[in-house]
Amino acid sequence: MISRDECAALDAVDPLAPLREEFTLAGGLIYLDGNSLGPVSRAARERVTQVIDHEWAEGLVKSWNSAGWMATPTRLGDRLAPLIGAHAGEVLVADTLTIGLAKLIGGALSLRRDRHVILTEIANFHSDIYIVRAMAHFADRDVVVRTIAREDLAANLDSDVALVMLTHVDFRTGEMLDLAGITAQVHDVGALMLWDFAHSAGAVPLDVTGANVDFAAGCTYKYLNGGPGSPGFIYVRSSFQGVLENPIPGWLGHARPFDFELDYAPAAGMQAFVTSSPSIVALAVLDGALDVWNRVTIDAVRAKSLVLTDLFIDLVEARLPGVFTLATPREHARRGSQVSLRHPQSYGVVQAMIERGVVGDFRDPDIARFGFAPLYLRYVDVYDAVEHLVGVIESEDHLAPRFAVRQAVT
Ligand SMILES: *Cc1c(COP(=O)(O)O)cnc(C)c1O
């Protein structure tokens, strides 16, 4: 088994190690929840201060022009595009992930008017299921949502299917689906493919161009560290631009918003998917948060992520044999950047870990979830986290009565 000294030696030669200094993490904290809410970075603080103190305080309304505020959703989309393998002009940062999905689902339904089925999977995130059912309900024709088991996808693909919507990395188990393979299967029956990248963007390399993905959406507060509730993003392949309609139009997606025309005429490109005034302060945080990607590639992040997660799995199995069941696939190609452990008292385990300064989270019914963000995590953090886990299990802290009642956010 690897020793703590050997972990420290890995940190000493880690090319990503200096990036940790860009982030604010309270002393001693081992943060394994960057897959839920990433930490604040120095660049994010600086950028938001500049926007508030100069562009807003001094420039006031003039900044819509002089500071380029109107172009922020497309400009940040272009900054984000390389992280998902998209071209400039194919990504927009606006709204939230669920709203982004609504726009893409609504648009896709009107591109396949002769088809009436949407497929998604039963293990998908509940918000994704709510919004896909709502968009089907409010469609201008009868549309059926089939919420199927993952392994039944092929059996359900036929010429009735208009759209398939799947989340690329499972939020519970961390399983990663085959982006290119599934997209090709879906295209084979003439359906459209929409991917949710909530747990993928900033965590694993994505190639929407190579995989021929039609549409995708994601959020920016997880591995992209854009801050609580930061705006989401949508991707629309260039061949669908000018074709896919925005079902939630607003004045700022109009070709000429300041002509105040009563008839809607969409702007060119991704601007057509803008509805409302951009959230300039929130976008400023994200703008700063994206600076770290000027210094590191997603491939380097992925390489370290796989070593961190392998290390965590190996240490848990060596130190606590038989205590947890691994819910995350071991194969690298089938794993995102989190490790999920099943245990009957997972909620108590996670809470007891938090008391010891190791932050993970709990997902119903029995999953203790640990996210590994290579931008700021050290190998020794993984070692120490497992030592704390051993301490919790050996002391039976996780069985304490104070963990019997769950908090609102788990
Ligand atoms: C985090 C997450 C969301 C959250 O959606 P918001 O609209 O940004 O609150 C949705 N779907 C998945 C799969 C997620 O992991």
Side-chain angles (χ1 to χ4, degrees):
M1 203 183 74
I2 192 168
S3 67
R4 194 176 193 282
D5 284 348
E6 286 169 308
C7 289
L10 288 175
D11 285 318
V13 297
D14 173 14
L16 274 58
L19 299 176
R20 179 177 168 87
E21 281 152 36
E22 299 300 315
F23 293 90
T24 304
L25 290 162
L29 188 74
I30 300 177
Y31 194 62
L32 305 181
D33 215 5
N35 51 323
S36 185
L37 176 66
V40 65
S41 63
R42 189 203 326 237
R45 282 173 200 275
E46 284 173 3
R47 180 80 189 119
V48 78
T49 304
Q50 186 204 349
V51 166
I52 290 178
D53 290 353
H54 299 287
E55 297 182 7
W56 181 16
E58 294 165 8
L60 282 166
V61 73
K62 286 180 295 180
S63 287
W64 284 110
N65 289 317
S66 60
W69 281 354
M70 277 301 173
T72 316
T74 47
R75 182 174 65 78
L76 293 196
D78 289 349
R79 287 196 76 187
L80 216 147
L83 285 175
I84 66 164
H87 301 114
E90 291 183 319
V91 180
L92 180 79
V93 179
D95 309 304
T96 52
L97 170 50
T98 308
I99 303 293
L101 290 172
K103 290 180 172 179
L104 297 171
I105 296 163
L109 279 177
S110 65
L111 284 183
R112 288 287 183 278
R113 305 202 63 86
D114 52 333
R115 295 170 176 232
H116 69 281
V117 174
I118 302 178
L119 294 182
T120 190
E121 63 156 322
I122 197 86
N124 209 338
F125 193 72
H126 44 338
S127 196
D128 298 43
I129 292 178
Y130 302 156
I131 198 66
V132 74
R133 287 183 179 156
M135 294 310 288
H137 175 74
F138 290 110
D140 58 359
R141 63 184 192 277
D142 285 339
V143 174
V144 180
V145 178
R146 277 197 219 132
T147 313
I148 59 172
R150 187 167 300 166
E151 55 274 20
D152 294 339
L153 178 66
N156 277 277
L157 280 173
D158 58 34
S159 58
D160 291 334
V161 178
L163 176 71
V164 177
M165 181 186 81
L166 296 173
T167 297
H168 179 236
V169 174
D170 186 303
F171 77 100
R172 277 191 203 86
T173 64
E175 177 175 355
M176 181 164 76
L177 306 188
D178 175 3
L179 189 78
I182 293 177
T183 303
Q185 252 185 311
V186 167
H187 285 166
D188 278 349
V189 297
L192 297 165
M193 185 70 219
L194 164 58
W195 286 102
D196 180 333
F197 288 152
H199 290 274
S200 315
V204 298
L206 295 161
D207 183 7
V208 290
T209 304
N212 211 14
V213 171
D214 301 310
F215 317 116
C219 52
T220 62
Y221 45 81
K222 292 172 179 160
Y223 292 99
L224 293 172
N225 311 310
S230 57
F233 68 88
I234 59 171
Y235 160 81
V236 176
R237 200 172 71 212
S238 56
S239 58
F240 283 112
Q241 294 186 21
V243 179
L244 189 78
E245 289 177 279
N246 177 1
I248 312 178
W251 66 308
L252 291 179
H254 195 283
R256 297 166 297 278
F258 286 89
D259 284 1
F260 299 94
E261 293 168 21
L262 290 188
D263 290 321
Y264 185 72
M270 291 307 288
Q271 188 68 32
F273 293 93
V274 173
T275 302
S276 301
S277 306
S279 304
I280 295 302
V281 176
L283 289 166
V285 182
L286 177 62
D287 200 6
L290 290 175
D291 282 0
V292 72
W293 298 100
N294 298 337
R295 294 174 56 189
V296 67
T297 65
I298 186 70
D299 290 325
V301 165
R302 174 63 169 167
K304 181 175 170 186
S305 156
L306 288 171
V307 182
L308 291 171
T309 47
D310 278 343
L311 178 64
F312 184 75
I313 293 169
D314 290 348
L315 285 171
V316 169
E317 291 186 339
R319 299 285 280 119
L320 295 164
V323 174
F324 294 97
T325 309
L326 184 65
T328 304
R330 272 172 218 277
E331 304 93 294
H332 288 176
R334 291 183 55 223
R335 190 203 300 169
S337 200
Q338 76 184 55
V339 176
S340 298
L341 305 175
R342 290 190 198 278
H343 186 279
Q345 282 91 30
S346 274
Y347 183 75
V349 170
V350 169
Q351 293 306 312
M353 289 284 276
I354 292 172
E355 284 191 353
R356 289 166 189 249
V358 184
V359 182
D361 60 23
F362 164 82
R363 287 296 176 264
D364 206 52
D366 62 350
I367 285 193
R369 191 173 75 152
F370 301 99
F372 294 84
L375 296 177
Y376 47 86
L377 274 185
R378 298 168 297 203
Y379 295 95
V380 288
D381 292 331
V382 175
Y383 188 91
D384 293 344
V386 176
E387 287 307 300
H388 284 299
L389 191 56
V390 172
V392 166
I393 297 296
E394 285 181 350
S395 66
E396 301 196 335
D397 272 0
H398 59 297
L399 303 177
R402 63 185 181 285
F403 303 137
V405 180
R406 288 186 199 168
Q407 292 181 301
V409 175
T410 63

